[in-house]
Amino acid sequence: MTPTVVFYVSAHGFGHASRVIEVINAILARRHDVRVIARTTAPQWLFDRTVVGPGFSRTDLRTDTGVVQIDSLHLDARATIEHAREFMRTFDDRVEAEAALLERHGVTLVVADIPPLGIAAAKRAGVAAAALGNFTWDWIYSAYEESDDVAQQIREAYQQADLALRLPMHGGFDVFRAVVDLPFVARRSRRDPLDTRRVLGLPQDERLVLVSFGGYGVDGFDLDALSRLEGYGVLMSGSLPQADLPRALKGGRRGSLIPLDERAMYAAGWRYEDLVHSVDAVVTKPGYGIIAECIANDTAMLYTSRGRFIEYDVLVAEMPRFLRARSLDHGDLFAGRWSAHLDALLEQPAPPEEPAVNGADVAAERLLDMI
């Protein structure tokens, strides 16, 4: 029988899917006979562009409710708990349905990053289950009012896992019986930065910053001010075609603003980590995925607050160990007052630690041992 691994993937942003894809690629590179299925609502195009090799498929499933985002920088705490509670009311029925699916497919192993549904379904079906992540949802929800019932249900599901693979900058893993610490799982570019700039039509001799706010995006930038930013080109990337980019950029470069069509980038054989590696700094909000990518590609990070998210404090406290990082408030962010912050950021010395970024390989070996 073909060994089959099912990944249940939170679709809160792109970070969970991005790191799972690295682990999937590491598994498929080692075992060509393994079949891998991803159960998630993270977009199909993300997997299509970055999963390498046969033996993989993605099927659509709402695995959890994550956090209700207004945009990348603002969330609704009350709605977050209400949505999670509604999801958990039908949790047992969801577990039964998924357990039946696992049995039909003869699944050997379930990996959850980090929906409790996958773990509970695996154990209902008598299948080995591993958790993967840098935080747990019960820990995230515990920061919000009236969340005790939801958090307890999630903990009870997590407690059934055979193993938890814990990434750096973590919180909440005390619920698991067995925990193994991983190096960073990160997308690391193998391209020369100047080659990337040349192929993508970016300036070769200019300091560039990449604006990166994930799947939820953010509105309200003063594009006029950013077009006059001194000393930097501002790369406004997105997976939208040229006609759908911000109006200020429809005609191409405008002052310091530089548009980039990510679809064209992927079609040319380049990936997002190549873009991160080719710029001097990323302007973003802290999330595991973009932090790990900046670490792996030696790119500085200018970051802003992402709202009431307990993970934020952990990330901000840990980042200076591994990368050059500096904060700016929302006022300066949206007004385009970036130059002084970027100058100070790029003058920072190298971080004190150079962590390993081969977590995908380590995770793949651990998971294959469980098959």
Side-chain angles (χ1 to χ4, degrees), residues 83-134:
H83 285 214
R85 182 174 290 116
E86 184 62 30
F87 185 90
M88 297 305 290
R89 284 195 184 105
T90 57
F91 189 69
D92 199 59
D93 291 340
R94 297 173 190 272
V95 169
E96 285 290 344
E98 290 305 303
L101 178 143
L102 298 176
E103 291 172 350
R104 288 197 305 273
H105 284 280
V107 170
T108 316
L109 173 66
V110 164
V111 185
D113 184 354
I114 191 167
L117 175 61
I119 294 168
K123 303 321 291 181
R124 187 75 57 91
V127 174
L132 168 69
N134 72 303

Side-chain angles (χ1 to χ4, degrees), residues 169 290-292 294-295 298-301 315 318-326 345 348-353 355:
M169 304 185 299
I290 192 61
I291 293 171
C294 285
I295 291 169
D298 192 24
T299 303
M301 175 185 286
L315 299 178
E318 292 288 311
M319 282 193 296
R321 295 171 52 196
F322 308 121
L323 80 162
R324 293 166 294 157
R326 180 182 171 91
L345 171 65
Q348 289 183 13
E353 299 182 37

Side-chain angles (χ1 to χ4, degrees), residues 8 12 17 34 42 46 65 77 83 107 119 238 246 252 254 276 285 291 299 314 326 346 350 369:
Y8 287 82
H12 178 248
V34 172
L46 184 60
T65 54
H83 285 214
V107 170
I119 294 168
R254 177 189 168 198
V276 171
K285 48 89 176 172
I291 293 171
T299 303
V314 173
R326 180 182 171 91
L346 295 179
D369 284 345

Side-chain angles (χ1 to χ4, degrees), residues 136 139-144 307-315:
T136 61
W139 178 68
I140 295 293
Y141 293 155
S142 69
Y144 305 136
R308 189 183 165 201
F309 201 57
I310 191 173
E311 183 194 25
Y312 175 84
D313 293 333
V314 173
L315 299 178

Side-chain angles (χ1 to χ4, degrees), residues 159-218:
Q159 286 168 353
Q160 301 175 69
D162 298 289
L163 178 67
L165 300 175
R166 181 170 64 186
L167 293 164
M169 304 185 299
H170 52 74
F173 278 74
D174 57 303
V175 69
F176 293 105
R177 294 175 293 167
V179 177
V180 171
D181 285 309
L182 298 180
F184 282 95
V185 173
R187 301 187 297 187
R188 186 174 189 176
S189 176
R190 298 290 189 266
R191 304 277 194 174
D192 181 273
L194 291 180
D195 284 345
T196 300
R197 290 193 182 199
R198 176 182 53 79
V199 169
L200 299 182
L202 303 176
Q204 297 279 306
D205 56 356
E206 188 174 349
R207 290 191 296 184
L208 296 181
V209 296
L210 170 64
V211 180
S212 179
F213 282 92
Y216 295 100
V218 63

Side-chain angles (χ1 to χ4, degrees), residues 19-268:
R19 67 192 181 200
V20 158
I21 288 167
E22 293 304 294
V23 176
I24 290 172
N25 284 336
I27 288 173
L28 294 177
R30 285 163 172 75
R31 287 281 300 270
H32 301 296
D33 62 324
V34 172
R35 180 174 58 150
V36 177
I37 302 169
R39 299 280 281 161
T40 184
T41 53
Q44 180 72 45
W45 61 258
L46 184 60
F47 292 87
D48 290 342
R49 291 172 178 171
T50 52
V51 174
V52 178
F56 172 77
S57 61
R58 171 202 168 277
T59 53
D60 200 67
L61 176 73
R62 190 186 190 195
T63 59
D64 54 30
T65 54
V67 172
V68 177
Q69 297 275 170
I70 299 168
D71 59 26
S72 283
L73 302 181
H74 303 90
L75 59 85
D76 187 329
R78 181 178 294 277
T80 291
I81 297 304
E82 289 176 353
H83 285 214
R85 182 174 290 116
E86 184 62 30
F87 185 90
M88 297 305 290
R89 284 195 184 105
T90 57
F91 189 69
D92 199 59
D93 291 340
R94 297 173 190 272
V95 169
E96 285 290 344
E98 290 305 303
L101 178 143
L102 298 176
E103 291 172 350
R104 288 197 305 273
H105 284 280
V107 170
T108 316
L109 173 66
V110 164
V111 185
D113 184 354
I114 191 167
L117 175 61
I119 294 168
K123 303 321 291 181
R124 187 75 57 91
V127 174
L132 168 69
N134 72 303
F135 69 71
T136 61
W137 283 119
D138 63 304
W139 178 68
I140 295 293
Y141 293 155
S142 69
Y144 305 136
E145 295 178 358
E146 300 180 359
S147 64
D148 288 351
D149 57 331
V150 173
Q152 181 58 32
Q153 276 187 277
I154 292 172
R155 280 192 291 270
E156 289 172 0
Y158 283 152
Q159 286 168 353
Q160 301 175 69
D162 298 289
L163 178 67
L165 300 175
R166 181 170 64 186
L167 293 164
M169 304 185 299
H170 52 74
F173 278 74
D174 57 303
V175 69
F176 293 105
R177 294 175 293 167
V179 177
V180 171
D181 285 309
L182 298 180
F184 282 95
V185 173
R187 301 187 297 187
R188 186 174 189 176
S189 176
R190 298 290 189 266
R191 304 277 194 174
D192 181 273
L194 291 180
D195 284 345
T196 300
R197 290 193 182 199
R198 176 182 53 79
V199 169
L200 299 182
L202 303 176
Q204 297 279 306
D205 56 356
E206 188 174 349
R207 290 191 296 184
L208 296 181
V209 296
L210 170 64
V211 180
S212 179
F213 282 92
Y216 295 100
V218 63
D219 294 321
F221 290 115
D222 186 335
L223 296 180
D224 288 335
L226 287 176
S227 73
R228 299 189 299 271
L229 192 70
E230 294 184 3
Y232 299 90
V234 181
L235 190 56
M236 307 289 284
S237 72
S239 58
L240 301 176
Q242 184 75 11
D244 292 335
L245 288 170
R247 180 171 300 179
L249 302 181
K250 282 184 179 177
R253 179 163 185 168
R254 177 189 168 198
S256 297
L257 290 173
I258 305 170
L260 176 74
D261 183 352
E262 283 185 31
R263 288 180 179 171
M265 177 182 75
Y266 284 106

